[in-house]
Amino acid sequence: MMAVRIGVLSFAHMHASSYMASVNQHPDAVLAGIADDNAERGKKAAESFQTKYFDSYEALLASDIDAVIIASENIHHRALTLAAAKAGKHVLCEKPLATTVEDGRAMIQACKDAGVQLMTAFPCRFSPAMVRLREAVQCGTIGEILAMKGTNQGLMPGGWFVELEKSGGGAVIDHTVHVTDLMRWVTGKEPVGVYAEISNRMNHEVYDDCGLLTITFDGGIFGTLDTSWSRPKTYPTWGNVTLEITGTEGVIAMDMFAQNIVQYDDEGNKVKWLNWGDNIDYGLINSFVTSVAEGNPVAITGEDGLAAVEVALAAYKSNERHVPVKLPL
Amino acid sequence: MQKVAIVGSGHMGQCHAAAYAHIPQADLVALVDSRPNALIQAGETFGAGAFTDFDKMMAVVNPDVIDICTPTPWHKDYVLRAAAAGKHVIVEKPMARTVEESREMIKTAENAGVKLKVAHVVRFFPEFAAAKAQVDAGAVGTPAVVRTSRGGNFPGASGNWYGDPNQSGGVVLDLIIHDFDWLRWVFGDVERVYAKGNISREFGCIDYALVTLRMKSGVIAHVEGTWANPGAFQTKFEITGDKGMLDFQSLTSSPLTIATKNTEGAKGGVAIPESPSGRNPYCLELQHFIDCIENDSKPLITAEDGVKAVEIAMAAIESIRTEKPVVLSGGKGVK
């Protein structure tokens, strides 16, 4: 098998670091280069991950790469995806796929027209705990699903994440999409309605940092999701992804990043959870590389990414009007 | 000394009966229950007179305080009868099945000049009281998002009255009303309620609800109530604010775990966590109510607090039914 040559468009999102390390680690992939509109940041990343720095996105896209990973600010996902599609490169795009439905649709269409694949970066689907949860649900361990309770609570990430013109929103757009995708994946049902209470009481700034969503799925299953950037600075880790499913015959509770050793660090004056679980970002990269190499459909599509974005956008709308908002938008 | 009669000798009635034994100013004189078998056993256990008829009990022992631990639908009737006889009343939560019944109970007690105490015992649980004190002292700064969880298996009771939402109000009115009251106590009044639950769906002995509250202060709260979890009964709360977070989980906050070999000879054993404390919340609660009655002092929880909790629960039930948020308006009840 020819190695899949991958370029990285922007190092703005911190996940780029883990994705680039995973590409380097992958036996069938080559990290062919990185371009970044912030040259200093891009050059540093190229050096860290022993790859070539390209002066422009165009130059990287004109090279002999097969695929790109887009890790820019959310607002640039559309333009970079369209450019990659035009250059005939497959795309793995960081979440949230887009900041508007229109952008998401344009990205999906452009990739379809160009005959390239568009994958949304939802690494949580590659968590062994999540895979096991889904298997248990599908073989009927807890009977019929009644309800789901999820959290993706984190530290306030700062930087461009809180500049709304670059991120498209605060905690709700940042932290709705992962668990919404897991809820869709485990139930096989589409969200049909969203209600949300959103606030900015953590940081008292223009961006939202607290969100409680209630999502209704086709057929009546309901779920709630806490998207808040509510972990204090002293919290032992960055945050969590949890999903608890209540069924007619029992309950399955997952705390995705619970495989930890607890460190009491006098030097750093902090208690830390040192995770020893599997690297889910590697699982994501492996899935993308394999699909591209073998020409098979990607495991998580642009449509999957957009469906999760729609829930976040509906949540903002719901919070403005204090009413449940119907989906699709 | 207050002579106390308990109406209803089921789980809660027996729990209260056991607590009165530790309250010096209370003398448990009678238990009333229409089910003679349950009653006689309970009466013997607690050394109290056993009556199947309320009026006969009143005539024979003439108590000072009536403590009502019947299923919810009978609360109003017994409160009205106790008030008519000029007796002070303690009533289990939820104080009634509807807001209207709750208000009628308050009005009747006021007119009769008797005290009406609503037994929201969670305010007397040391962990919940400690959390309130911490929030008041600024431990989390300005509170932002609060999460609570409560539940376990479906509760068994006479005639499976918990299984009939018309009687019990399901998990929303019977169980997480505890959390609604505690949330109001700590974070103030509720503005808006949105809820999802299984109350209107037919799943037999299963009930589950997820409720979102927007408090007038701006705090948002998420309340889980379950009678669908075969694991151990548990409570949790997480209070986040701009200066920190308080986190409690009952199952990991237990200082004692007793593990025993399975007597059936199966391969697995059972491990049961326990959280022993010298402060029994039911004793603290009933001691407080008896003190308030004896000293004519203001209770930690008023009858009005009891109605407000019912109001939040009824709003959640309405939201589940209508699939819309329900706005609470000041003393006027649910819009």
Side-chain angles (χ1 to χ4, degrees), chain B residues 88-104:
Chain B
H88 299 302
V89 188
I90 296 168
V91 64
E92 233 337 281
K93 49 55 50 185
M95 70 185 293
R97 180 62 184 81
T98 67
V99 173
E100 294 70 27
E101 282 183 356
S102 306
R103 295 226 169 273
E104 189 184 344

PDB file of all heavy atoms in Angstrom, chain B residues 88-104:
ATOM      1  N   HIS B  88     -51.566  20.641  65.697  1.00  0.00           N
ATOM      2  CA  HIS B  88     -50.467  20.986  64.799  1.00  0.00           C
ATOM      3  C   HIS B  88     -50.181  19.805  63.864  1.00  0.00           C
ATOM      4  O   HIS B  88     -50.419  18.661  64.233  1.00  0.00           O
ATOM      5  CB  HIS B  88     -49.205  21.326  65.594  1.00  0.00           C
ATOM      6  CG  HIS B  88     -49.397  22.491  66.507  1.00  0.00           C
ATOM      7  ND1 HIS B  88     -49.790  23.726  66.050  1.00  0.00           N
ATOM      8  CD2 HIS B  88     -49.270  22.608  67.854  1.00  0.00           C
ATOM      9  CE1 HIS B  88     -49.888  24.554  67.068  1.00  0.00           C
ATOM     10  NE2 HIS B  88     -49.591  23.891  68.192  1.00  0.00           N
ATOM     11  N   VAL B  89     -49.652  20.145  62.688  1.00  0.00           N
ATOM     12  CA  VAL B  89     -49.479  19.103  61.672  1.00  0.00           C
ATOM     13  C   VAL B  89     -48.062  19.100  61.111  1.00  0.00           C
ATOM     14  O   VAL B  89     -47.502  20.158  60.804  1.00  0.00           O
ATOM     15  CB  VAL B  89     -50.451  19.303  60.486  1.00  0.00           C
ATOM     16  CG1 VAL B  89     -50.392  18.103  59.547  1.00  0.00           C
ATOM     17  CG2 VAL B  89     -51.871  19.527  60.966  1.00  0.00           C
ATOM     18  N   ILE B  90     -47.504  17.906  60.979  1.00  0.00           N
ATOM     19  CA  ILE B  90     -46.290  17.699  60.187  1.00  0.00           C
ATOM     20  C   ILE B  90     -46.726  16.821  59.024  1.00  0.00           C
ATOM     21  O   ILE B  90     -47.378  15.795  59.236  1.00  0.00           O
ATOM     22  CB  ILE B  90     -45.196  16.991  61.018  1.00  0.00           C
ATOM     23  CG1 ILE B  90     -44.763  17.889  62.186  1.00  0.00           C
ATOM     24  CG2 ILE B  90     -44.005  16.618  60.127  1.00  0.00           C
ATOM     25  CD1 ILE B  90     -43.906  17.178  63.227  1.00  0.00           C
ATOM     26  N   VAL B  91     -46.406  17.237  57.790  1.00  0.00           N
ATOM     27  CA  VAL B  91     -46.825  16.438  56.643  1.00  0.00           C
ATOM     28  C   VAL B  91     -45.610  16.107  55.785  1.00  0.00           C
ATOM     29  O   VAL B  91     -44.735  16.940  55.561  1.00  0.00           O
ATOM     30  CB  VAL B  91     -47.942  17.147  55.836  1.00  0.00           C
ATOM     31  CG1 VAL B  91     -47.457  18.461  55.218  1.00  0.00           C
ATOM     32  CG2 VAL B  91     -48.495  16.237  54.730  1.00  0.00           C
ATOM     33  N   GLU B  92     -45.543  14.843  55.364  1.00  0.00           N
ATOM     34  CA  GLU B  92     -44.435  14.391  54.515  1.00  0.00           C
ATOM     35  C   GLU B  92     -44.456  15.153  53.191  1.00  0.00           C
ATOM     36  O   GLU B  92     -45.498  15.668  52.777  1.00  0.00           O
ATOM     37  CB  GLU B  92     -44.597  12.883  54.242  1.00  0.00           C
ATOM     38  CG  GLU B  92     -43.455  11.955  54.542  1.00  0.00           C
ATOM     39  CD  GLU B  92     -42.069  12.556  54.584  1.00  0.00           C
ATOM     40  OE1 GLU B  92     -41.498  12.784  53.500  1.00  0.00           O
ATOM     41  OE2 GLU B  92     -41.536  12.776  55.680  1.00  0.00           O
ATOM     42  N   LYS B  93     -43.301  15.199  52.519  1.00  0.00           N
ATOM     43  CA  LYS B  93     -43.258  15.754  51.177  1.00  0.00           C
ATOM     44  C   LYS B  93     -43.715  14.682  50.200  1.00  0.00           C
ATOM     45  O   LYS B  93     -43.553  13.507  50.537  1.00  0.00           O
ATOM     46  CB  LYS B  93     -41.868  16.262  50.797  1.00  0.00           C
ATOM     47  CG  LYS B  93     -40.688  15.332  51.039  1.00  0.00           C
ATOM     48  CD  LYS B  93     -40.614  13.943  50.494  1.00  0.00           C
ATOM     49  CE  LYS B  93     -40.861  13.578  49.081  1.00  0.00           C
ATOM     50  NZ  LYS B  93     -40.816  12.101  48.886  1.00  0.00           N
ATOM     51  N   PRO B  94     -44.225  15.005  49.023  1.00  0.00           N
ATOM     52  CA  PRO B  94     -44.697  16.335  48.647  1.00  0.00           C
ATOM     53  C   PRO B  94     -45.940  16.668  49.455  1.00  0.00           C
ATOM     54  O   PRO B  94     -46.710  15.781  49.766  1.00  0.00           O
ATOM     55  CB  PRO B  94     -45.057  16.164  47.162  1.00  0.00           C
ATOM     56  CG  PRO B  94     -45.392  14.723  47.018  1.00  0.00           C
ATOM     57  CD  PRO B  94     -44.526  13.991  48.004  1.00  0.00           C
ATOM     58  N   MET B  95     -46.132  17.943  49.805  1.00  0.00           N
ATOM     59  CA  MET B  95     -47.219  18.250  50.740  1.00  0.00           C
ATOM     60  C   MET B  95     -48.581  17.862  50.177  1.00  0.00           C
ATOM     61  O   MET B  95     -49.483  17.524  50.938  1.00  0.00           O
ATOM     62  CB  MET B  95     -47.172  19.698  51.234  1.00  0.00           C
ATOM     63  CG  MET B  95     -47.500  20.766  50.244  1.00  0.00           C
ATOM     64  SD  MET B  95     -47.255  22.429  50.966  1.00  0.00           S
ATOM     65  CE  MET B  95     -48.553  22.493  52.216  1.00  0.00           C
ATOM     66  N   ALA B  96     -48.713  17.882  48.819  1.00  0.00           N
ATOM     67  CA  ALA B  96     -49.962  17.425  48.216  1.00  0.00           C
ATOM     68  C   ALA B  96     -49.716  17.088  46.752  1.00  0.00           C
ATOM     69  O   ALA B  96     -48.646  17.353  46.215  1.00  0.00           O
ATOM     70  CB  ALA B  96     -51.041  18.490  48.345  1.00  0.00           C
ATOM     71  N   ARG B  97     -50.752  16.542  46.118  1.00  0.00           N
ATOM     72  CA  ARG B  97     -50.633  16.128  44.726  1.00  0.00           C
ATOM     73  C   ARG B  97     -50.746  17.323  43.768  1.00  0.00           C
ATOM     74  O   ARG B  97     -50.312  17.249  42.628  1.00  0.00           O
ATOM     75  CB  ARG B  97     -51.732  15.087  44.404  1.00  0.00           C
ATOM     76  CG  ARG B  97     -51.743  14.541  42.992  1.00  0.00           C
ATOM     77  CD  ARG B  97     -50.463  13.803  42.665  1.00  0.00           C
ATOM     78  NE  ARG B  97     -50.446  13.359  41.262  1.00  0.00           N
ATOM     79  CZ  ARG B  97     -50.138  14.137  40.248  1.00  0.00           C
ATOM     80  NH1 ARG B  97     -49.847  15.424  40.448  1.00  0.00           N
ATOM     81  NH2 ARG B  97     -50.135  13.664  39.017  1.00  0.00           N
ATOM     82  N   THR B  98     -51.320  18.432  44.248  1.00  0.00           N
ATOM     83  CA  THR B  98     -51.457  19.617  43.393  1.00  0.00           C
ATOM     84  C   THR B  98     -51.130  20.877  44.188  1.00  0.00           C
ATOM     85  O   THR B  98     -51.135  20.872  45.424  1.00  0.00           O
ATOM     86  CB  THR B  98     -52.899  19.782  42.845  1.00  0.00           C
ATOM     87  OG1 THR B  98     -53.762  20.073  43.954  1.00  0.00           O
ATOM     88  CG2 THR B  98     -53.383  18.537  42.127  1.00  0.00           C
ATOM     89  N   VAL B  99     -50.874  21.956  43.452  1.00  0.00           N
ATOM     90  CA  VAL B  99     -50.627  23.262  44.070  1.00  0.00           C
ATOM     91  C   VAL B  99     -51.890  23.735  44.792  1.00  0.00           C
ATOM     92  O   VAL B  99     -51.820  24.256  45.914  1.00  0.00           O
ATOM     93  CB  VAL B  99     -50.205  24.289  42.985  1.00  0.00           C
ATOM     94  CG1 VAL B  99     -50.106  25.689  43.582  1.00  0.00           C
ATOM     95  CG2 VAL B  99     -48.890  23.877  42.346  1.00  0.00           C
ATOM     96  N   GLU B 100     -53.041  23.519  44.171  1.00  0.00           N
ATOM     97  CA  GLU B 100     -54.308  23.987  44.754  1.00  0.00           C
ATOM     98  C   GLU B 100     -54.560  23.319  46.105  1.00  0.00           C
ATOM     99  O   GLU B 100     -54.933  23.975  47.079  1.00  0.00           O
ATOM    100  CB  GLU B 100     -55.482  23.702  43.796  1.00  0.00           C
ATOM    101  CG  GLU B 100     -55.441  24.490  42.490  1.00  0.00           C
ATOM    102  CD  GLU B 100     -54.318  24.036  41.539  1.00  0.00           C
ATOM    103  OE1 GLU B 100     -53.909  22.860  41.595  1.00  0.00           O
ATOM    104  OE2 GLU B 100     -53.834  24.884  40.759  1.00  0.00           O
ATOM    105  N   GLU B 101     -54.357  22.006  46.158  1.00  0.00           N
ATOM    106  CA  GLU B 101     -54.538  21.288  47.432  1.00  0.00           C
ATOM    107  C   GLU B 101     -53.573  21.823  48.482  1.00  0.00           C
ATOM    108  O   GLU B 101     -53.941  21.996  49.645  1.00  0.00           O
ATOM    109  CB  GLU B 101     -54.275  19.785  47.236  1.00  0.00           C
ATOM    110  CG  GLU B 101     -55.404  19.030  46.587  1.00  0.00           C
ATOM    111  CD  GLU B 101     -55.095  17.530  46.488  1.00  0.00           C
ATOM    112  OE1 GLU B 101     -53.981  17.098  46.852  1.00  0.00           O
ATOM    113  OE2 GLU B 101     -55.994  16.803  46.037  1.00  0.00           O
ATOM    114  N   SER B 102     -52.335  22.075  48.051  1.00  0.00           N
ATOM    115  CA  SER B 102     -51.331  22.566  49.005  1.00  0.00           C
ATOM    116  C   SER B 102     -51.769  23.897  49.596  1.00  0.00           C
ATOM    117  O   SER B 102     -51.660  24.144  50.799  1.00  0.00           O
ATOM    118  CB  SER B 102     -49.980  22.731  48.297  1.00  0.00           C
ATOM    119  OG  SER B 102     -49.601  21.543  47.658  1.00  0.00           O
ATOM    120  N   ARG B 103     -52.274  24.790  48.734  1.00  0.00           N
ATOM    121  CA  ARG B 103     -52.708  26.118  49.201  1.00  0.00           C
ATOM    122  C   ARG B 103     -53.901  26.002  50.152  1.00  0.00           C
ATOM    123  O   ARG B 103     -53.973  26.698  51.164  1.00  0.00           O
ATOM    124  CB  ARG B 103     -53.090  27.015  48.013  1.00  0.00           C
ATOM    125  CG  ARG B 103     -51.931  27.348  47.117  1.00  0.00           C
ATOM    126  CD  ARG B 103     -51.866  28.832  46.753  1.00  0.00           C
ATOM    127  NE  ARG B 103     -50.592  29.110  46.116  1.00  0.00           N
ATOM    128  CZ  ARG B 103     -49.482  29.413  46.780  1.00  0.00           C
ATOM    129  NH1 ARG B 103     -49.484  29.518  48.092  1.00  0.00           N
ATOM    130  NH2 ARG B 103     -48.352  29.618  46.123  1.00  0.00           N
ATOM    131  N   GLU B 104     -54.806  25.087  49.824  1.00  0.00           N
ATOM    132  CA  GLU B 104     -55.983  24.890  50.689  1.00  0.00           C
ATOM    133  C   GLU B 104     -55.543  24.425  52.083  1.00  0.00           C
ATOM    134  O   GLU B 104     -56.094  24.855  53.101  1.00  0.00           O
ATOM    135  CB  GLU B 104     -56.910  23.856  50.033  1.00  0.00           C
ATOM    136  CG  GLU B 104     -58.262  23.744  50.726  1.00  0.00           C
ATOM    137  CD  GLU B 104     -59.131  22.650  50.121  1.00  0.00           C
ATOM    138  OE1 GLU B 104     -58.839  22.180  48.991  1.00  0.00           O
ATOM    139  OE2 GLU B 104     -60.100  22.250  50.805  1.00  0.00           O
TER     140      GLU B 104
END
